[in-house]
Amino acid sequence: MRKNSEKLGLLGSVGVLVGCCIGSAIFSISGMTIYYAGPAAILSWIIAGLIQGTYSIEVAELSARYPRSGGVYVFPRKTLGKFYGFIAGWGYVIANFIAVAFSAIYIGRYLSASFPSLAPYSSLFAV
């Protein structure tokens, strides 16, 4: 049996959720959003917040219903079967690899724009 100190409590869960939602994207992508959307950027952030809030409630409900580790795999497996749980779990892993790759590329470009002398090395920073 696990000790209670090994489990993630409400405050820790909310902290992880907020950290994942905000992350570094709020510092890097917000400039592009304002550039392309102008004043409508505020509206897009409000809509995105509502969507994220709805998703957060969904995950909280599923976590209460299926209190097991591996939510991205467990939720589809319990509701749709093992095959779709497998597809969803690996789809999530692959999507995260792609997101990390895009973040690395963006960091390389960001550094090369901030420090022009590093521009030839932007691909190296991405790697």
Side-chain angles (χ1 to χ4, degrees), residues 9-94:
L10 177 63
L11 184 62
S13 299
V14 170
V16 168
L17 178 68
V18 169
C20 291
C21 292
I22 294 174
S24 62
I26 195 167
F27 300 112
S28 57
I29 304 299
S30 60
M32 287 186 351
T33 305
I34 292 172
Y35 178 76
Y36 288 111
I42 301 295
L43 180 63
S44 68
W45 289 328
I46 291 170
I47 292 170
L50 292 172
I51 292 170
Q52 185 62 40
T54 304
Y55 176 70
S56 302
I57 293 170
E58 171 196 351
V59 170
E61 290 291 331
L62 286 169
S63 297
R65 175 93 167 122
Y66 306 113
R68 293 187 55 198
S69 164
V72 181
Y73 167 72
V74 171
F75 303 153
R77 192 191 90 205
K78 289 283 190 180
T79 56
L80 302 172
K82 287 184 178 183
F83 176 74
Y84 291 110
F86 177 81
I87 296 297
W90 277 105
Y92 183 75
V93 168
I94 291 168

